[in-house]
């Protein structure tokens, strides 16, 4: 079973990112948005390291089924008018094709008027895409990962670390 990142590695990197966010958004009104369910654990650990007076909301969006992107982003339509006039930071677990974050940013900015929109991810897959996350904890190869909130068909979210999911053998290695 190959562990890609331990709990300790994740935790120390999250502290670094939060430190940067604390500097970047000093004296600014910041709202964080957690993209469920994958970023739930990352989000809560990050949130605890942010020392600014922030507020947050959770929304559901995904383009994935199993190990493949379906190419369609499903949103839970949610009232987000409280982000108007504030700085918005969207927190997701992973950026793969970029479809999810791209659609979210476009969708939110077409309906609401935040002062700025930035994105933060735990993982960025090393693939060619137009959109990049503004904050990222780790770059990873184009492999399917599970644990620490990330799932394969709803399993493995409770692993405290990140493992590579081996599709062929249906096990983590
Ligand atoms: P896109 O392609 O829209 O994908 O950038 C982002 C969303 O797809 C899911 N995703 C994964 N989930 N392990 C997972 O558990 C992975 O390796 C993986 N790659 C993409 C995830 O929901 C993310 O928000």
């Amino acid at each position: 079973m190959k562990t890609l990142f331990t709990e300790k590695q994740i935790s120390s990197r999250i502290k670094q990112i939060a430190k940067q966010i604390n500097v970047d958004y000093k004296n600014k009104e910041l709202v964080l948005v957690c993209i469920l369910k994958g970023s739930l654990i990352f989000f809560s650990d990050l949130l605890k390291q942010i020392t600014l007076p922030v507020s947050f909301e959770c929304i559901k969006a995904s383009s994935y089924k199993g190990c493949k992107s379906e190419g369609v982003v499903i949103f839970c339509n949610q009232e987000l008018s409280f982000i108007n006039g504030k700085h918005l930071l969207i927190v997701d677990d992973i950026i793969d094709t970029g479809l999810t974050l791209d659609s979210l940013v476009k969708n939110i900015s077409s309906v609401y008027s935040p002062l700025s929109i930035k994105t933060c991810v735990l993982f960025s897959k090393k693939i060619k895409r137009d959109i990049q996350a503004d904050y990222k904890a780790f770059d990873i190869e184009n492999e399917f990962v599970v644990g620490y909130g990330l799932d394969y068909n709803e399993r493995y979210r409770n692993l405290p670390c990140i493992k590579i999911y081996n599709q062929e053998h249906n096990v983590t290695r």
Side-chain angles (χ1 to χ4, degrees), residues 95-96 123-129 132 136 138-143:
I95 181 166
D96 187 343
F123 299 118
S124 174
K125 284 194 185 173
K126 288 185 200 159
I127 62 167
K128 210 169 164 266
R129 72 176 93 77
Q132 303 299 335
K136 66 174 173 197
F138 302 100
D139 283 308
I140 60 168
E141 297 302 326
N142 192 11
E143 291 191 282

Side-chain angles (χ1 to χ4, degrees), residues 63-64 92-94 96-100 125 144-145 150-151:
S63 67
Y64 255 65
D92 204 359
D93 50 359
I94 189 163
D96 187 343
T97 62
L99 182 72
T100 306
K125 284 194 185 173
F144 198 82
V145 289
L150 289 95
D151 73 309

Side-chain angles (χ1 to χ4, degrees), residues 21-71:
I21 292 171
N22 288 331
V23 170
D24 294 351
Y25 288 95
K26 196 173 176 211
N27 299 324
K28 292 179 179 169
E29 249 191 299
L30 175 63
V31 180
L32 294 126
V33 166
C34 167
I35 308 304
L36 297 172
K37 297 179 222 171
S39 72
L40 184 70
I41 299 175
F42 169 46
F43 184 84
S44 61
D45 285 349
L46 181 73
L47 190 66
K48 284 182 282 181
Q49 298 298 325
I50 293 178
T51 51
L52 308 168
V54 296
S55 56
F56 76 90
E57 187 53 84
C58 300
I59 61 175
K60 208 168 176 184
S62 182
S63 67
Y64 255 65
K65 250 211 176 119
C67 285
K68 271 209 170 127
S69 175
E70 293 269 289

